[in-house]
Amino acid sequence: MRPPLTAWAPGRINLIGEHTDYSGGLAMPAAIELGVRVTVESVADGVALRSALYGAADPFAADGSGPRAEGWVRYGQAVARELDALGRRPVGLVAAIESDLPAAVGLSSSAALEVGIALALCAVAELELEPLALAQACRRAEQRAVGVPCGILDQAACVLGREGTAIVLDCATVEHRRVVLPPDAALVVVDSGVARALETSGYAVRRSELERALAVLGVERSTEVDAAAVDSLEEPLRRRLRHVVSENMRVTAFADAVSAGDLATAGTLISASHASLRDDYEVSTPELDELVNLAERAGAYGARLVGAGFGGSILALADTGTADAVAAAVVAGYAGDARAFVVHASDGAHVTTS
């Protein structure tokens, strides 16, 4: 595919199923209309990316080799390295990157950046990858770039998204099914203003604790755990695994409720997810708890922290007719500097030509 071309990669909102992906659990994400646009202007020997939003970036080799890049461009270099391992020809490019997706708020801006760059690199080298193969390459790139042992949730949602639908994803097998969201369901995201970076948060510690809990019980996947066996574990492993096992159950129940148009039950499950993330997985913050309480008092069906926690945003499930009022009430009542926006389930990553 010859330039000029544009790769679009959306962010995602995870409706329910948090911290389940890296134990082979269940999640229910949706791609959103906010994302990253990579506009390829020409083919080159190396890769030169520029972005007014992200700042200056040094070029790197088309196959991702060479000294480790610094800053945001390390994601691009890691993607190039992973694609090289899959047989991509070392074709470089010159591209401009734009984004309307807020960073560090739990909407997977890093996954969107990785997928956008990966699609552009594949397009200029005429390499076709199945969507989930590309998602897996980008997941590996994230770990290569910043050392975050993430699961497949974010990248899979980015490539599998479809307008008006969420995805029930088995994160071990990547089997998935789409669930149409009711037209009266509104997704309100409220940014707490507390930024977080996964590589410096407690994310890796939580994953290690969960893996230890699974090892004690002799299972590999959280969906294989007998709920009664969780109580045999010592703290904090018991609470870590209890969150994930109960969250897997909530994903299934939430999908059933949404399919039936029962937003009240769906909202109750979202609020229960937040309580579990706060008390058992301990990834919430006072600011996130405050936003959840404000959203529920403002008339949302339910609310919870979204993303890995330790800062970032909440998701409130509301009615389309009251979503704007809920968002305004939360922002007005919050002690900090919050911003809110309503997002919609949208199409996934794709490439277009001019």
Side-chain angles (χ1 to χ4, degrees), residues 221-299:
R221 296 187 54 190
S222 57
T223 51
E224 299 172 349
V225 175
D226 182 341
V230 175
D231 288 335
S232 68
L233 296 170
E234 297 181 352
E235 295 293 359
L237 304 188
R238 181 178 69 89
R239 284 181 292 120
R240 303 299 184 249
L241 187 55
R242 183 171 64 187
H243 162 70
V244 175
V245 170
S246 63
E247 188 80 342
N248 287 332
M249 296 176 181
R250 283 188 287 271
V251 171
T252 300
F254 183 88
D256 290 343
V258 167
S259 296
D262 184 355
L263 296 183
T265 296
T268 298
L269 290 163
I270 284 181
S271 292
S273 173
H274 181 77
S276 183
L277 287 160
R278 180 193 64 214
D279 300 334
D280 280 350
Y281 223 64
E282 295 184 288
V283 294
S284 191
T285 65
E287 295 84 358
L288 294 173
D289 294 341
E290 179 186 355
L291 289 174
V292 165
N293 290 335
L294 286 168
E296 291 172 343
R297 291 204 299 267

Side-chain angles (χ1 to χ4, degrees), residues 163-184:
E163 180 74 24
T165 68
I167 304 151
V168 178
L169 176 69
D170 183 318
C171 298
T173 65
V174 286
E175 292 179 354
H176 57 278
R177 62 184 175 90
R178 291 185 168 88
V179 176
V180 177
L181 298 179
D184 54 343

Side-chain angles (χ1 to χ4, degrees), residues 11-100:
R12 68 97 184 97
I13 187 74
N14 192 26
L15 304 184
I16 198 164
E18 213 68 83
H19 285 282
T20 56
D21 58 337
Y22 48 79
S23 66
L26 305 178
M28 192 172 169
I32 60 176
E33 70 272 26
L34 306 176
V36 173
R37 179 175 287 102
V38 181
T39 302
V40 179
E41 299 165 353
S42 63
V43 170
D45 291 333
V47 178
L49 304 174
R50 70 175 188 278
S51 170
L53 176 65
Y54 297 135
D58 292 329
F60 55 86
D63 63 358
S65 61
R68 178 185 168 91
E70 298 295 330
W72 66 271
V73 79
R74 60 190 164 164
Y75 291 102
Q77 184 187 38
V79 165
R81 198 66 180 153
E82 291 297 333
L83 294 178
D84 178 72
L86 295 177
R88 193 188 83 92
R89 293 187 296 116
V91 180
L93 53 79
V94 176
I97 296 180
E98 302 172 291
S99 175
D100 58 3

